[in-house]
Amino acid sequence: GQNIDQPTEMTATEGAIVQINCTYQTSGFNGLFWYQQHAGEAPTFLSYNVLDGLEEKGRFSSFLSRSKGYSYLLLKELQMKDSASYLCAVNGTASKLTFGTGTRLQVTL
Amino acid sequence: DARVTQTPRHKVTEMGQEVTMRCQPILGHNTVFWYRQTMMQGLELLAYFRNRAPLDDSGMPKDRFSAEMPDATLATLKIQPSEPRDSAVYFCASGLGTSGGNSGANVLTFGAGSRLTVL
């Protein structure tokens, strides 16, 4: 089965950097995904990692360590519009994508 | 701009009634997922299909839920009879999943969701 853990809530200040951690235990692994979900909206894709290391996409970066079952999403130069839930998801066998419960990020002035 | 279309967007019904939710995946996508989201449980995987064949529906209460793909442009999720605990937002998502597990191809695009309230 799959077990995915993330902090429930985080708060950070506009302009700062925040790191959202995700740990997982899975029976199969074919990559780790991060999605963003604003309140009342659908999740949207942010990034994915299949190999160890850091993937950078503008203000967002995602890191993966497969041996540790660990990933993080790094958000730089935080903006108010970054207030949202961030969902960690593991791609298991046969393209099965399982989500964690998400981390609700509040960006304050 | 390709999108996943879900209907209805909102549904209020009484306990015991049948509810059918529909999803039109993005043309060319061969995987379709049904998720249920509540505040307490987050996004729970109910069922998913690849090339219209059901791959896993272990997350779905079989006595009342059923999921089908009658053709490549339509996926349905049916609840009969519905119960108050089924109240949630139901999301459909589609992607280009491959049997080789190529993660990059498994990016899912979500529909806007169907918000179900069972009284």
Side-chain angles (χ1 to χ4, degrees):
Chain A
Q2 316 269 37
N3 188 36
I4 302 168
D5 288 315
Q6 311 178 229
T8 305
E9 292 185 352
M10 298 183 72
T11 302
T13 307
E14 189 179 34
I17 299 173
V18 70
Q19 177 174 312
I20 302 174
N21 296 324
C22 171
T23 57
Y24 63 90
Q25 293 173 312
T26 64
S27 54
F29 182 84
N30 284 303
L32 188 140
F33 290 69
W34 285 95
Y35 281 75
Q36 180 190 58
Q37 186 178 24
H38 284 100
E41 298 182 11
T44 55
F45 169 74
L46 282 179
S47 70
Y48 80 94
N49 298 69
V50 63
L51 300 175
D52 290 354
L54 190 69
E55 293 285 339
E56 297 187 75
K57 285 177 72 174
R59 295 189 299 115
F60 292 43
S61 304
S62 57
F63 171 84
L64 175 67
S65 168
R66 288 172 296 171
S67 62
K68 292 186 169 65
Y70 168 68
S71 173
Y72 67 72
L73 180 70
L74 195 71
L75 292 75
K76 304 175 190 174
E77 300 168 17
L78 279 173
Q79 302 176 9
M80 297 300 289
K81 67 178 182 179
D82 297 328
S83 293
S85 288
Y86 291 86
L87 310 173
C88 172
V90 172
N91 187 21
T93 53
S95 304
K96 181 176 181 177
L97 195 65
T98 304
F99 284 82
T101 52
T103 299
R104 189 160 51 245
L105 174 66
Q106 181 71 42
V107 180
T108 61
L109 291 172
Chain B
D1 189 22
R3 62 182 64 187
V4 175
T5 303
Q6 287 186 248
T7 57
R9 290 295 313 279
H10 300 273
K11 175 75 174 179
V12 180
T13 192
E14 293 188 346
M15 183 173 63
Q17 295 298 305
E18 178 179 302
V19 175
T20 299
M21 288 168 275
R22 293 177 174 81
C23 169
Q24 181 177 12
I26 290 173
L27 190 64
H29 281 188
N30 67 343
T31 59
V32 175
F33 291 70
W34 283 105
Y35 290 92
R36 174 172 64 184
Q37 188 172 42
T38 61
M39 288 292 291
M40 296 300 294
Q41 300 294 330
L43 265 174
E44 297 175 276
L45 178 62
L46 296 174
Y48 76 111
F49 298 78
R50 186 165 67 214
N51 297 324
R52 294 178 55 203
L55 286 189
D56 189 333
D57 61 1
S58 59
M60 204 164 66
K62 306 280 191 316
D63 57 336
R64 299 184 300 108
F65 284 59
S66 61
E68 295 179 350
M69 276 202 76
D71 62 61
T73 64
L74 177 64
T76 61
L77 179 68
K78 188 176 295 186
I79 309 174
Q80 167 63 14
S82 58
E83 297 180 2
R85 60 180 166 153
D86 301 329
S87 297
V89 180
Y90 290 80
F91 285 104
C92 174
S94 70
L96 285 167
T98 66
S99 58
N102 176 1
S103 283
N106 202 29
V107 172
L108 294 185
T109 300
F110 281 76
S114 294
R115 180 175 295 277
L116 174 65
T117 302
V118 184
L119 303 174

